[in-house]
Amino acid sequence: MERISLTLFTLLFLFTECLAQNCCSGGVPLSSNIGIVPTSKSNFQAALVGDINYLKRVMRGSQRVDDRIRERRTTSLLFISSYSIYERISVDLTLSWVQQFRKINGFSGQINTEQSSGIGDIAILAKYRFLKTEKTGFDGFGGLGAKLATGKTNQLNKDGIRLSLDMQPGSGAFDKLFWLYFQQALPENRIKFLTSSLFQLTGTFKEYNLTQKYKVGNSLVSRFGIIKNLTVANQLIDFSLEFLFRKNWIDIVENQKLPNTGGQWIFIKPGLIWSFNESLSINLATEMPIYSEVVGEQLSSSSRVILQVNFSSPRKQFD
């Protein structure tokens, strides 16, 4: 009887989590913003990033479902700082604040909302410039880092019930980060090509619902982009176009796969960069999905807006 009760409880828990789960692309967008490219020795760089992710598309596999019952918004504020200790070595620190909002429209016209906000997890990344080719303008960087479980995971809804993990500011787990970046500059054409990948090997939150173990699926984000520099009315403006591929593996709870988690997406991300001088610039970009394939049925990202202010201390180029 005790074993049957435990089995029923586990099935009930998985069903509840299945309904609460929204999208693998929710949460703090560390994987999309981490990794500032270093420019010179003893150079300090910083970026303040505002990121709003709207999730209004319900997907079943790769098909969109006509479901206007659920929607969600994730608003994040990131502060990213980077310091080049040596010519080839630099370190990044990313701080985050996140607000989660979810709305469910009931069949009777009743609207249910949930919201949370607070300090999110911190990420640290050590980077090494392993390739620099003066003649061709081709550079390569690699990085290792960690995401620390500094964000809260115990926030409650208005009824005093603990919110699901995807609605919490923090993840409750220590993650390992692996970063790779390449860029090819063509100064004569004022064009730069870039590609990068970040693999996030997630840890396990061992106190989910106080006693359970929850492992968010590993994630991989790869991007391929081009930046074209133009001068408009004596103002330097960069036009950027990126394609992002994101894959999230399935979440695991108590050694069981959690339904309606995991998937893969392709996004297109056009943007503008205004450079006021060598030290100050502003980025404005929007991100939209062009392909989505989720496991089961999930609420998926429909659009994203990113505003970023960049600061860099006066520098000299690498020797």
Side-chain angles (χ1 to χ4, degrees):
M1 179 63 69
E2 185 175 320
R3 182 173 298 177
I4 295 176
S5 299
L6 180 60
T7 302
L8 290 175
F9 173 80
T10 302
L11 291 174
L12 178 61
F13 167 76
L14 290 175
F15 177 72
T16 304
E17 281 298 303
C18 172
L19 294 177
Q21 198 62 238
N22 273 294
C23 177
C24 296
S25 56
V28 182
L30 290 175
S31 54
S32 301
N33 294 285
I34 198 169
I36 293 180
V37 179
T39 56
S40 66
K41 180 181 178 181
S42 301
N43 175 241
F44 174 78
Q45 299 179 82
L48 184 63
V49 183
D51 186 302
I52 303 178
N53 187 13
Y54 298 96
L55 302 92
K56 297 182 178 181
R57 302 187 317 144
V58 177
M59 304 295 298
R60 183 182 298 131
S62 59
Q63 301 298 316
R64 185 170 181 176
V65 179
D66 186 15
D67 182 347
R68 301 179 183 179
I69 296 176
R70 297 167 283 175
E71 64 179 72
R72 179 172 166 179
R73 182 183 70 247
T74 299
T75 303
S76 303
L77 187 64
L78 307 177
F79 177 75
I80 309 170
S81 59
S82 178
Y83 184 72
S84 299
I85 304 173
Y86 300 105
E87 179 181 340
R88 292 180 177 271
I89 299 175
S90 59
V91 177
D92 287 10
L93 175 66
T94 301
L95 309 177
S96 64
W97 177 89
V98 60
Q99 180 188 71
Q100 305 275 17
F101 175 80
R102 177 162 58 196
K103 181 172 73 172
I104 300 177
N105 300 313
F107 293 105
S108 60
Q110 182 180 3
I111 298 177
N112 298 312
T113 61
E114 290 183 333
Q115 181 172 317
S116 69
S117 62
I119 301 298
D121 292 344
I122 292 176
I124 300 174
L125 183 70
K127 300 170 297 183
Y128 178 72
R129 187 173 193 157
F130 60 85
L131 182 61
K132 178 176 173 60
T133 308
E134 296 285 354
K135 293 183 179 180
T136 63
F138 186 70
D139 296 325
F141 301 83
L144 297 174
K147 183 184 69 62
L148 310 179
T150 54
K152 288 186 176 181
T153 57
N154 59 355
Q155 293 201 7
L156 309 177
N157 64 15
K158 56 187 176 183
D159 298 319
I161 300 173
R162 180 172 295 191
L163 293 167
S164 57
L165 186 59
D166 66 319
M167 284 291 293
Q168 298 288 349
S171 66
F174 176 90
D175 299 346
K176 300 175 183 177
L177 305 175
F178 304 88
W179 179 72
L180 196 61
Y181 179 96
F182 294 97
Q183 67 179 20
Q184 173 67 65
L186 301 176
E188 64 278 7
N189 298 317
R190 303 172 74 178
I191 291 177
K192 180 188 293 184
F193 297 94
L194 60 90
T195 180
S196 70
S197 291
L198 178 74
F199 180 70
Q200 190 168 341
L201 183 62
T202 57
T204 300
F205 180 26
K206 298 181 180 180
E207 298 179 359
Y208 184 63
N209 286 340
L210 300 180
T211 60
Q212 294 173 318
K213 296 180 180 180
Y214 191 120
K215 183 183 185 304
V216 175
N218 299 330
S219 72
L220 172 68
V221 176
S222 297
R223 62 177 180 144
F224 308 88
I226 181 174
I227 300 176
K228 171 65 175 179
N229 177 257
L230 296 174
T231 302
V232 179
N234 296 322
Q235 181 72 48
L236 292 177
I237 297 180
D238 292 339
F239 293 88
S240 64
L241 181 64
E242 295 184 10
F243 293 91
L244 294 91
F245 169 77
R246 180 184 183 105
K247 178 176 176 61
N248 282 14
W249 280 260
I250 295 175
D251 296 359
I252 303 295
V253 181
E254 291 294 313
N255 297 319
Q256 298 188 55
K257 294 181 179 180
L258 185 62
N260 301 333
T261 61
Q264 52 191 6
W265 299 261
I266 298 176
F267 299 92
I268 185 172
K269 183 181 178 183
L272 294 173
I273 306 171
W274 289 272
S275 298
F276 298 99
N277 51 51
E278 189 183 52
S279 300
L280 183 64
S281 65
I282 294 179
N283 300 15
L284 178 63
T286 182
E287 186 178 295
M288 297 162 288
I290 56 177
Y291 176 77
S292 304
E293 183 179 356
V294 303
V295 178
E297 183 174 297
Q298 300 179 40
L299 184 60
S300 188
S301 179
S302 54
S303 64
R304 193 176 209 142
V305 179
I306 304 103
L307 178 63
Q308 179 171 329
V309 179
N310 307 295
F311 170 80
S312 178
S313 62
R315 66 181 188 264
K316 62 180 181 178
Q317 293 300 316
F318 283 123
D319 298 330

